[in-house]
Amino acid sequence: MKSCADAPLWLLLRGDDVTPVVPRVKPARVVLLHGWLQEHSIWLKTAAALRDLYGHSVLLLDFFAHGHSPSAPSADGDSPA
């Protein structure tokens, strides 16, 4: 888990760390992205369920300047481009 001032920027729940409840499903890699004005932790219960039930590895990310992540570096300063 990466951090900025001791706050996580992303979280990975590894499917290899659990025995799936539904073993017939082929484990996959899933990325969950939060909505506007939210952070990655909004998906924690869903991610844990996907990992525990199906053995999926789930990556939770913060968009730049959301949650605990810093603003995105920009070549043109604060340009939307």
Side-chain angles (χ1 to χ4, degrees), residues 2-43:
K2 297 277 185 180
S3 67
C4 178
D6 298 327
L9 302 177
W10 57 269
L11 179 64
L12 175 65
L13 282 72
R14 292 175 25 96
D16 295 340
D17 294 342
V18 299
T19 301
V21 174
V22 184
R24 296 181 309 262
V25 175
K26 182 179 177 184
R29 295 179 182 163
V30 178
V31 177
L32 298 176
L33 299 172
H34 59 79
W36 197 252
L37 301 177
Q38 296 177 334
E39 61 182 41
H40 71 276
S41 63
I42 196 76
W43 285 113

Side-chain angles (χ1 to χ4, degrees), residues 73-81:
S74 173
D76 296 331
D78 291 331
S79 167

Side-chain angles (χ1 to χ4, degrees), residues 26-63:
K26 182 179 177 184
R29 295 179 182 163
V30 178
V31 177
L32 298 176
L33 299 172
H34 59 79
W36 197 252
L37 301 177
Q38 296 177 334
E39 61 182 41
H40 71 276
S41 63
I42 196 76
W43 285 113
L44 193 53
K45 286 184 182 179
T46 302
L50 288 170
R51 181 199 58 193
D52 296 345
L53 288 174
Y54 305 110
H56 297 326
S57 291
V58 185
L59 179 63
L60 308 172
L61 298 171
D62 271 346
F63 284 115

